Amino acid sequence: MNTRTTTKLAIASAIAGLVPLGLAVPAQAATVVSHDGCTITVDAPEFRNVFNAAGAKLFDYDYHLTCAASAAGVSVEVRPERWESDLVGRAGDPDAPDEFTGRSTQNLSFAAAGQTRNIIVRATLPAANDDTDVPLEMFQVTKFRVTSGAVTGTWSSEAIGNSRALTP
């Protein structure tokens, strides 16, 4: 065997040996997701000194959606969800006993030139919490799908924001 063949075989063996290790590691969720010409970024929720008519605190769950220029423009269906995390680890950890607390849907249209939209979803904190911890470690999980003309794309992967401790 010549040196080039030996080197190629050594590289191929090394790569083949790494593949099973890479598959065994859980994928980390991103706070930024790009899909079908649009990119979404989600922020940790925060309190901005806003109250509802009953005097309850309202918390803001912000996301930022940018879509590239498209000849016909696009519409985007966005589904932000609100979650409460009970573990100190990463928000959205698939092994965590996270609690779903609410969802909303926004339908946004983008002109042919493309643009960025900064959206605020405002909500109260959940009334019940199974482990009675305060503050609540709230975060958001958001996904979207793009429609261009008569074609609707698939749902994006989930953009998972960082958690933030919030007190009702």
Side-chain angles (χ1 to χ4, degrees):
M1 232 185 276
N2 68 28
T3 305
R4 283 188 182 170
T5 303
T6 304
T7 302
K8 287 179 186 177
L9 287 173
I11 291 171
S13 295
I15 291 171
L18 292 176
V19 171
L21 293 175
L23 295 176
V25 176
Q28 292 292 321
T31 57
V32 177
V33 171
S34 294
H35 182 70
D36 289 345
C38 295
T39 299
I40 197 163
T41 305
V42 297
D43 297 340
E46 64 180 291
F47 176 62
R48 294 185 178 132
N49 209 30
V50 177
F51 299 85
N52 68 12
K57 290 179 179 179
L58 294 174
F59 296 86
D60 292 344
Y61 297 79
D62 297 1
Y63 67 85
H64 315 280
L65 182 66
T66 301
C67 290
S70 170
V74 296
S75 62
V76 183
E77 180 181 2
V78 184
R79 286 214 181 133
E81 296 180 344
R82 296 174 300 283
W83 290 80
E84 198 273 332
S85 176
D86 290 326
L87 294 182
V88 178
R90 176 180 59 84
D93 184 339
D95 298 323
D98 296 335
E99 300 158 334
F100 174 78
T101 66
R103 171 187 298 128
S104 61
T105 300
Q106 291 85 43
N107 292 299
L108 307 170
S109 295
F110 290 82
Q115 64 189 110
T116 297
R117 299 272 179 87
N118 300 306
I119 305 297
I120 298 171
V121 176
R122 195 165 271 161
T124 58
L125 290 181
N129 186 18
D130 70 353
D131 61 356
T132 65
D133 65 340
V134 174
L136 303 175
E137 303 84 19
M138 300 301 296
F139 67 97
Q140 68 174 314
V141 176
T142 306
K143 62 182 177 179
F144 65 92
R145 65 181 172 182
V146 178
T147 299
S148 180
V151 178
T152 299
T154 59
W155 285 100
S156 70
S157 56
E158 296 177 329
I160 301 176
N162 293 321
S163 66
R164 176 165 288 151
L166 302 173
T167 305

